[in-house]
Amino acid sequence: MPLHTIALELVPPNIDRGVEHAREEAHKLLKLSTEADIAGRIGHVMIPGMIPEDDDRPIEMKPKLDVGDFWSIIHPELPGVQGLCTQVTSFLNESALRSRLTGLGEAGFDGIVFVGVPRSMKDGEGGGIAPTDALSKFDGLVENRGVILVPTRDGEQGRFEFKCDQGATFGMTQLLYSDAIVGFLSQFSRSSDRRPEILLSFGFVPRLESRVGLIDWLIQDPGNKAVAAEQEFVRALAASEPDIKGRRLLDLYKRVVDGVAELGYPLSLHFEAPYGVSKPAFDTFAAMLDYWSPQA
């Protein structure tokens, strides 16, 4: 069954910040939801299983709470909210990955997005199980099996088709800073009978992005003109006044949801605040939900 949800991403905090800080993150989510008048509408928390990546990451990666441990702390604080997470598969053998997925299921995660090697490595490296193999190997263990969908990536039509053939039940898009997903799903609907659920990912861009460049780093794809245009849009958003930024993000959201709503895919939303949740981010997400929500 499709999730039909609104998921908010919460990154596990650094270990050195302690359990109480993790609990405070849950309380902050509830407070900001109430202030933005969307209390009770967030159906899932998406917790990314993060691993060290390139040395040029704008914000240093410090040891973080394990996904399961973070969820066990915040879940009791968030009544009615369920869990989703990402799991890197490429560094675990079949036995270790089966044990890991079993533990995540027992912890109460509704769905797991299988993720491969970081972009500094090539597909097939890592010594573990490729996400596409994990989809089929663990179909009886994980009901909602997700994959990452990057509509601007070269060869993504065939890659996504193969992932669906292997057993993916949903695709979670990379952060969307253009309406490229509309053309991607329109073409996919013409060439494939597959209709997996799509979690459309939208991210708030604070002024801090102008100085740090984390979002620019997250969506980079050197040599890809479509991504270069998205990076320019992000830079413009970061430099914009709040009201202009809000209008431009809402306009993008409208173009995306209007463009994909009639294509036959079950739709959910995935909201991100890469620098941490904030009132401006929640106000922006609330404006988006006023226009369209999968819960309507």
Side-chain angles (χ1 to χ4, degrees):
M1 292 292 292
L3 295 165
H4 281 308
T5 193
I6 299 165
L8 177 75
E9 183 157 304
L10 284 184
V11 175
N14 297 341
I15 290 175
D16 60 11
R17 305 201 70 173
V19 170
E20 190 54 39
H21 177 76
R23 194 171 288 116
E24 289 171 359
E25 287 293 284
H27 296 163
K28 188 175 182 180
L29 185 160
L30 294 175
K31 178 177 181 291
L32 291 172
S33 297
T34 299
E35 291 176 353
D37 199 25
I38 57 172
R41 299 188 68 181
I42 294 173
H44 286 82
V45 167
M46 164 61 77
I47 306 176
M50 302 177 70
I51 60 172
E53 293 195 52
D54 305 348
D55 292 337
D56 63 345
R57 191 179 193 273
I59 298 178
E60 180 186 0
M61 271 282 293
K62 295 182 178 181
K64 295 185 177 297
L65 281 178
D66 177 75
V67 165
D69 293 339
F70 183 41
W71 178 238
S72 70
I73 296 168
I74 66 173
H75 191 200
E77 312 297 323
L78 300 172
V81 178
Q82 301 304 312
L84 302 171
C85 69
T86 64
Q87 173 62 48
V88 177
T89 68
S90 302
F91 303 106
L92 299 174
N93 62 31
E94 183 171 349
S95 176
L97 185 54
R98 182 175 296 277
S99 176
R100 173 65 171 171
L101 296 176
T102 299
L104 292 173
E106 291 174 347
F109 285 96
D110 272 357
I112 300 174
V113 180
F114 295 133
V115 182
V117 294
R119 58 187 163 212
S120 58
M121 301 173 66
K122 296 180 180 178
D123 288 344
E125 294 183 342
I129 296 178
T132 48
D133 293 333
L135 289 167
S136 56
K137 284 181 178 292
F138 303 109
D139 59 345
L141 185 62
V142 181
E143 181 178 0
N144 296 304
R145 300 173 301 282
V147 295
I148 300 297
L149 171 58
V150 186
T152 53
R153 184 164 54 183
D154 186 48
E156 192 74 350
Q157 290 281 333
R159 185 182 288 108
F160 192 52
E161 175 80 19
F162 181 62
K163 290 176 178 179
C164 291
D165 289 344
Q166 289 292 99
T169 63
F170 69 93
M172 185 175 74
T173 72
Q174 187 184 46
L175 282 169
L176 301 176
Y177 291 109
S178 75
D179 56 8
I181 188 66
V182 177
F184 180 93
L185 290 177
S186 296
Q187 181 179 341
F188 194 78
S189 68
R190 292 191 295 269
S191 62
S192 174
D193 292 331
R194 301 284 189 181
R195 296 295 182 270
E197 184 168 12
I198 306 296
L199 274 66
L200 299 168
S201 300
F202 296 92
F204 183 73
V205 182
R207 187 171 292 276
L208 186 60
E209 171 67 14
S210 294
R211 180 165 57 85
V212 179
L214 176 61
I215 298 172
D216 182 89
W217 182 85
L218 288 170
I219 67 175
Q220 66 176 309
D221 187 5
N224 188 325
K225 292 182 179 180
V227 174
E230 293 186 342
Q231 290 174 301
E232 180 57 38
F233 180 64
V234 168
R235 286 190 285 270
L237 287 173
S240 296
E241 293 301 318
D243 58 335
I244 297 174
K245 179 187 307 183
R247 287 198 300 270
R248 296 192 71 182
L249 281 170
L250 181 58
D251 180 65
L252 169 64
Y253 180 80
K254 290 178 178 180
R255 296 201 313 271
V256 170
V257 298
D258 288 350
V260 302
E262 303 303 323
L263 295 177
Y265 299 93
L267 298 176
S268 283
L269 295 175
H270 173 226
F271 289 143
E272 293 188 48
Y275 290 89
V277 294
S278 65
K279 186 179 188 305
F282 267 73
D283 288 344
T284 300
F285 299 151
M288 293 175 172
L289 294 177
D290 281 345
Y291 182 75
W292 179 86
S293 167
Q295 299 166 334

